[in-house]
């Protein structure tokens, strides 16, 4: 046995014991030490870099570690074996998604502004934010020797009289507290109920004078990032908001690697624990603390996630999703409760899941389509959700078609050497001086925050600016030299945005030719999917009237830069609208509005799913897109080439 010490830049350290010869990345996983491994330990992404400090570690050199870096002690955790007691440092860039949970008390109008437009559109579409959770006050006569009716029957009769509904269900969690609550409140109660047409479900009971907040939770479970809001179910107020990395990411950045991991012994439990115990429950606890409510006061959840995330969340076998004929266990279900998966909220909290419509187009897209409103307008509109997968919906009030493309994790920082999700320390916007090649960038976080990496919107800007300034060629190769251009022993170039002494990390913040190539493939997947879907409908790009772009890849995307690199169609920039995290906004609408929930089910049923892999022209389109901006310059007439 050997002791392995993991040190983090913030001073935290974790020491664990492991067997000699154990893989360092596996040791970290077993010890709940989170190291980013988008390729799930296949040594193909180079993101699990750690710095060897002292001890014994057998680690071969890979193409992701330069000679200089190797001499400095940098190693890939996935190709390193423990040979004795060892100490390594895990840099922020390898663990940034791990601990940078952002929680806000959203009491100010500015903090909730991103939801206001969605709420307005939902209500204008005749989907009022009304749901079936209510607070009902009842008063009963205390029992006596002449009136020996049991407590539960006394409450049932009072609720029958108050609601006019005969079937009343009082679950065990409520019955346990009923005797004490009745007697401490002189048989006058406030009941939190879910009222349907023919039955009433009693979630909880409180004394007549207690202050109540009936909480709800809307969650967007992304492959890379998880975001959530706690709301007041009675008046719709947003009480707190949080975002953090999906704990499953250490098992792979994409859904295929995670499905493969889930098929291993104990894998399904590990994946479920990573999202429930390590991600959702800490988020819920922190949000409820910020909102000054108990976690037990969350009585309903609305969850939007892709098809794989939904299966892994519920601990359901997802392996059939990756094998022909790609059949999920479910598209739509409303039979889950919080206690089923050990979510630390009220045990009887009902889980509403946005319905999936295909193996790779899930509830995050149906929820996002709801708030995009393309289904409620005559214009031909395109909805694009940028994430680990790129998902698209095209149509109007008459029809809708959807498809998904494997863009990879680049839009959320994966496959990029200094990539990270949109959190503190991420460069989210950038311009470059064409003469001096000096950058000017905006960083997420407090004033004075130092850069530690690039998030999706920042990557788009940097590549667009490098191309505009003719620092890189249309193939993404560096064609100029200067102080900020580095080249390795093989002539491969990189552009340094912040040197080590300027950054908040232990390395230069830079973008390499390999990074640019990875991103060109990601943007190519998006544009080729758009072109292929339009061709199947006998449409062309000029017929797109509105484009709604969603995804939590920064505070917003510079649409013109996205056009300039060939990611989005070359149509007037005023046709583009960034609508933020539409999956979370849609989950919020489903949580609060029974009509909105039904509308999402209707949208899922009426949407045609296009499987791009079966389209013969898709790969030709994709290859043509792997260029800046495109091999066919006529598709981008406004872009200087």
């Amino acid at each position: 046995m050997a002791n392995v010490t993991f040190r983090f830049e913030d001073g935290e350290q974790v020491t664990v014991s492991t067997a000699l010869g154990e893989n360092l990345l596996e040791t970290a996983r077993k010890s709940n030490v989170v190291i980013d491994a988008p390729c799930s330990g296949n040594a193909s992404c180079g993101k699990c870099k750690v710095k060897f400090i002292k001890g014994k570690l057998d680690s071969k050199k890979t193409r992701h570690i330069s000679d200089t870096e190797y001499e400095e002690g940098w190693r890939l955790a996935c190709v390193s074996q423990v040979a004795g007691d060892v100490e390594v440092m895990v840099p922020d860039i390898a663990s940034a998604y791990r601990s940078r949970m952002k929680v806000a008390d959203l009491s100010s109008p500015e903090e909730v502004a991103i939801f206001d437009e969605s709420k307005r559109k939902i209500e204008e579409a005749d989907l009022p934010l009304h749901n079936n959770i209510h607070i009902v006050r009842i008063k009963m006569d205390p029992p006596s020797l002449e009136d020996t009716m049991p407590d539960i029957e006394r409450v049932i009769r009072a609720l029958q009289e108050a609601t006019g509904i005969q079937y009343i269900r009082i679950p065990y969690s409520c019955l346990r507290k009923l005797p004490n609550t009745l007697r401490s409140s002189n048989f006058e109660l406030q009941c939190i109920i879910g009222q349907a047409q023919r039955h009433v479900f009693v979630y909880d009971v409180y004394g007549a004078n207690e202050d109540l907040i009936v909480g709800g939770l809307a969650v967007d479970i992304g492959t890379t990032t998880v975001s959530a809001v706690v709301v007041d179910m009675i008046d719709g107020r947003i009480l707190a908001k949080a975002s953090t990395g999906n704990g499953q990411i250490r098992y792979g950045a994409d859904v295929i690697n995670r499905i493969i991991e889930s098929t291993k012994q104990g894998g399904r439990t590990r994946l479920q624990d990573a999202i429930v115990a390590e991600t959702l429950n800490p988020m819920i606890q922190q949000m409820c603390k910020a909102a000054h409510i108990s976690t037990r006061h969350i009585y309903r959840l609305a969850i939007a996630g892709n098809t794989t995330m939904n299966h892994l969340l519920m601990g359901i076998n997802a392996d059939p999703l990756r094998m022909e004929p790609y059949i999920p266990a479910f598209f739509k279900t409303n039979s889950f409760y919080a206690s089923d998966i050990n979510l630390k909220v009220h045990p009887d909290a009902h889980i509403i899941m946005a319905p999936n419509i295909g193996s790779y187009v899930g509830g995050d897209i149906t929820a996002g389509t709801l708030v995009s409103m393309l289904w409620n307008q005559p214009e031909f509109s395109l909805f694009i959700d940028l994430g680990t997968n790129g998902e698209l919906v095209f149509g109007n009030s008459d029809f809708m078609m959807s498809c998904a493309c494997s863009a990879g994790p680049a839009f959320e920082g994966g496959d990029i050497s200094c990539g990270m999700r949109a959190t503190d320390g991420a460069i989210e916007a950038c311009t470059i001086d064409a003469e001096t090649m000096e950058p000017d960038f905006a960083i997420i976080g407090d004033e004075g925050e130092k850069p530690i990496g690039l998030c999706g919107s920042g990557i788009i800007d940097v590549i667009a600016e490098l191309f505009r300034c003719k620092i890189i060629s249309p193939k993404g190769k560096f064609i100029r030299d200067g102080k900020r251009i580095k080249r390795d022993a093989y002539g491969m170039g990189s552009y340094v945005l912040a040197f080590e002494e300027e950054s908040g990390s232990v390395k230069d913040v830079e973008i390499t030719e390999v990074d640019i190539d990875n991103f060109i493939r990601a943007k190519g997947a998006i544009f080729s999917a758009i072109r292929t879907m339009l061709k199947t409908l006998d449409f062309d790009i000029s017929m797109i009237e509105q484009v709604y772009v969603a995804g939590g890849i920064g505070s917003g995307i510079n649409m013109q830069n996205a056009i300039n690199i060939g990611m989005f169609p070359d149509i007037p920039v005023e046709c583009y609208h960034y609508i933020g995290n539409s999956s979370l906004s849609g989950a919020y609408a489903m949580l609060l509005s029974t009509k909105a929930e039904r509308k999402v089910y209707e949208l899922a049923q009426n949407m045609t799913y296009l499987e791009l892999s079966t389209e013969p022209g898709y790969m030709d389109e994709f290859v043509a897109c792997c260029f800046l901006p495109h091999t066919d310059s006529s598709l981008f007439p406004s872009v200087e080439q």
Side-chain angles (χ1 to χ4, degrees):
M1 299 295 288
N3 290 327
V4 180
T5 300
F6 297 95
R7 292 188 180 275
F8 297 92
E9 289 184 40
D10 61 5
E12 179 187 352
Q13 73 175 53
V14 175
T15 301
V16 298
S17 294
T18 191
L20 292 174
E22 177 80 21
N23 180 273
L24 186 62
L25 181 61
E26 287 301 319
T27 300
R29 286 175 170 175
K30 290 176 182 178
S31 309
N32 208 28
V33 172
V34 183
I35 297 177
D36 195 4
C39 69
S40 195
N42 294 325
S44 60
C45 71
K47 295 298 287 292
C48 64
K49 288 181 181 178
V50 297
K51 193 170 187 179
F52 172 68
I53 298 175
K54 62 181 180 180
K56 296 181 179 180
L57 187 69
D58 292 335
S59 183
K60 65 181 180 181
K61 185 175 174 295
T62 75
R63 63 185 177 89
H64 299 291
I65 307 286
S66 68
D67 292 338
T68 302
E69 288 177 325
Y70 198 83
E71 290 175 6
E72 291 174 350
W74 291 102
R75 305 289 187 267
L76 286 191
C78 67
V79 297
S80 300
Q81 280 73 43
V82 177
D85 291 351
V86 65
E87 185 175 320
V88 296
M89 190 272 291
V90 181
D92 268 356
I93 199 64
S95 62
Y97 77 93
R98 154 189 172 271
S99 58
R100 294 172 178 265
M101 183 185 296
K102 298 195 70 170
V103 180
D105 177 356
L106 300 187
S107 55
S108 67
E110 293 80 10
E111 295 286 355
V112 298
I114 118 176
F115 288 90
D116 287 347
E117 185 67 7
S118 295
K119 286 166 65 176
R120 182 186 65 79
K121 288 181 177 179
I122 290 290
E123 291 182 322
E124 285 182 355
D126 195 27
L127 302 174
L129 296 180
H130 297 314
N131 57 83
N132 68 350
I133 291 187
H134 311 291
I135 299 175
V136 176
R137 299 179 71 97
I138 56 175
K139 188 172 183 179
M140 296 147 285
D141 293 329
S144 65
L145 290 175
E146 290 75 29
D147 180 6
T148 58
M149 186 185 300
D151 291 343
I152 192 169
E153 290 189 26
R154 197 174 299 274
V155 171
I156 286 173
R157 290 193 180 186
L159 284 172
Q160 287 173 336
E161 184 177 345
T163 63
I165 296 175
Q166 292 302 301
Y167 181 64
I168 311 291
R169 183 183 168 196
I170 298 180
Y172 170 71
S173 62
C174 188
L175 181 59
R176 276 186 65 187
K177 63 183 292 192
L178 192 58
N180 290 347
T181 306
L182 280 170
R183 283 154 183 83
S184 64
S185 62
N186 197 27
F187 285 79
E188 187 172 355
L189 295 182
Q190 298 179 87
C191 300
I192 297 175
I193 67 168
Q195 182 173 334
Q197 188 173 1
R198 297 182 179 177
H199 73 274
V200 167
F201 184 90
V202 183
Y203 288 102
D204 222 332
V205 292
Y206 293 91
N209 298 320
E210 291 189 58
D211 293 329
L212 297 187
I213 290 183
V214 183
L217 181 71
V219 188
D220 164 44
I221 300 182
T223 311
T224 302
T225 304
V226 179
S227 300
V229 289
V230 170
V231 305
D232 187 320
M233 292 293 295
I234 304 302
D235 60 19
R237 285 182 301 127
I238 298 174
L239 305 176
K241 181 177 185 290
S243 65
T244 190
N246 187 330
Q248 293 177 346
I249 200 169
R250 67 180 184 272
Y251 300 110
D254 59 86
V255 296
I256 299 300
N257 271 315
R258 294 191 201 172
I259 292 173
I260 292 171
E261 179 68 26
S262 74
T263 63
K264 299 176 182 177
Q265 185 174 3
R268 210 184 306 171
T269 299
R270 287 194 298 274
L271 270 294
Q272 187 178 33
D273 286 346
I275 184 61
V276 176
E278 299 172 27
T279 306
L280 290 176
N281 283 339
M283 282 181 76
I284 292 167
Q285 185 177 24
Q286 291 298 316
M287 284 190 292
C288 288
K289 183 179 179 181
H292 308 293
I293 66 172
S294 166
T295 56
R296 191 182 167 87
H297 290 166
I298 302 295
Y299 297 102
R300 180 169 294 175
L301 299 90
I303 294 176
N306 66 48
T307 312
T308 300
M309 291 302 100
N310 289 341
H311 282 62
L312 296 179
L313 169 70
M314 304 313 300
I316 295 172
N317 182 15
D319 199 38
L321 286 170
R322 71 182 179 96
M323 299 182 298
E324 194 173 342
Y326 315 111
I327 304 301
F330 65 94
F331 276 159
K332 170 190 170 184
T333 179
N334 59 359
S335 59
F336 297 137
Y337 293 86
S339 57
D340 293 337
I341 56 175
N342 203 28
L343 275 173
K344 299 302 183 183
V345 295
H346 192 283
D348 296 311
H350 186 204
I351 298 176
I352 300 169
M353 301 193 80
N356 309 308
I357 60 172
S359 297
Y360 298 105
V361 176
D364 50 349
I365 303 309
T366 52
T369 301
L370 173 76
V371 298
S372 75
M373 289 294 156
L374 67 83
W375 55 272
N376 197 40
Q377 55 197 28
E379 297 89 359
F380 292 126
S381 300
L382 177 65
F383 168 59
I384 306 173
D385 189 294
L386 296 174
T388 308
N389 286 321
E391 290 114 341
L392 316 171
V393 179
F394 179 75
N396 61 5
S397 52
D398 293 325
F399 77 98
M400 287 180 294
M401 175 176 280
S402 65
C403 69
C405 59
S406 181
F411 294 125
E412 295 178 283
D415 284 351
I416 307 296
S417 57
C418 283
M420 61 184 291
R421 67 187 186 87
T423 189
D424 290 353
I427 296 173
E428 64 173 345
C430 180
T431 58
I432 297 175
D433 187 287
E435 296 297 323
T436 65
M437 294 192 290
E438 287 295 306
D440 183 22
F441 44 74
I443 304 167
I444 299 175
D446 298 330
E447 187 176 350
E449 186 89 35
K450 289 186 176 182
I452 60 174
L454 280 162
C455 69
S457 59
I459 298 167
I460 291 171
D461 279 6
V462 169
I463 293 177
E465 287 291 282
L466 291 172
F467 182 55
R468 179 186 65 82
C469 297
K470 294 182 170 52
I471 298 172
I472 59 174
S473 70
K475 293 182 179 179
K477 306 301 180 184
F478 284 90
I479 53 177
R480 290 177 65 181
D481 290 298
K483 181 181 76 171
R484 292 192 175 270
I485 308 297
K486 290 166 49 178
R487 295 189 185 274
D488 63 18
Y490 305 99
M492 296 288 284
S494 64
Y495 176 81
V496 181
L497 288 116
F499 291 103
E500 181 180 336
E501 60 272 15
E502 303 168 320
S503 74
S505 186
V506 293
K507 295 178 59 184
D508 296 343
V509 178
E510 61 184 339
I511 188 166
T512 69
E513 284 184 6
V514 173
D515 296 333
I516 294 169
D517 186 56
N518 286 336
F519 197 83
I520 286 176
R521 288 200 300 272
K523 72 90 183 174
I526 296 295
F527 189 74
S528 56
I530 295 171
R531 286 261 292 170
T532 302
M533 186 163 61
L534 290 174
K535 281 184 176 180
T536 64
L537 295 167
D538 201 22
F539 279 49
D540 61 46
I541 283 171
S542 65
M543 300 176 75
I544 301 173
E545 297 175 80
Q546 302 291 335
V547 181
Y548 301 96
V549 182
I553 69 172
S555 63
I557 302 170
N558 185 314
M559 300 299 179
Q560 189 59 57
N561 280 344
I563 294 169
N564 291 346
I565 63 173
M567 187 167 108
F568 291 163
D570 192 359
I571 61 176
V573 73
E574 56 268 21
C575 296
Y576 286 87
H577 313 278
Y578 181 66
I579 59 175
N581 189 339
S582 62
S583 175
L584 182 59
S585 298
Y588 168 80
M590 292 181 68
L591 180 69
L592 289 175
S593 171
T594 302
K595 281 193 172 183
E597 179 189 354
R598 291 171 182 163
K599 174 56 71 172
V600 174
Y601 296 144
E602 180 187 320
L603 295 177
Q605 282 184 316
N606 295 335
M607 201 179 296
T608 302
Y609 173 59
L610 174 67
E611 178 55 62
L612 287 177
S613 63
T614 64
E615 291 297 315
Y618 175 65
M619 281 309 298
D620 291 338
E621 284 286 349
F622 172 72
V623 171
C625 291
C626 292
F627 202 73
L628 295 174
H630 197 278
T631 53
D632 184 355
S633 59
S634 67
L635 292 172
F636 293 89
S638 72
V639 179
E640 182 182 347
Q641 300 181 41

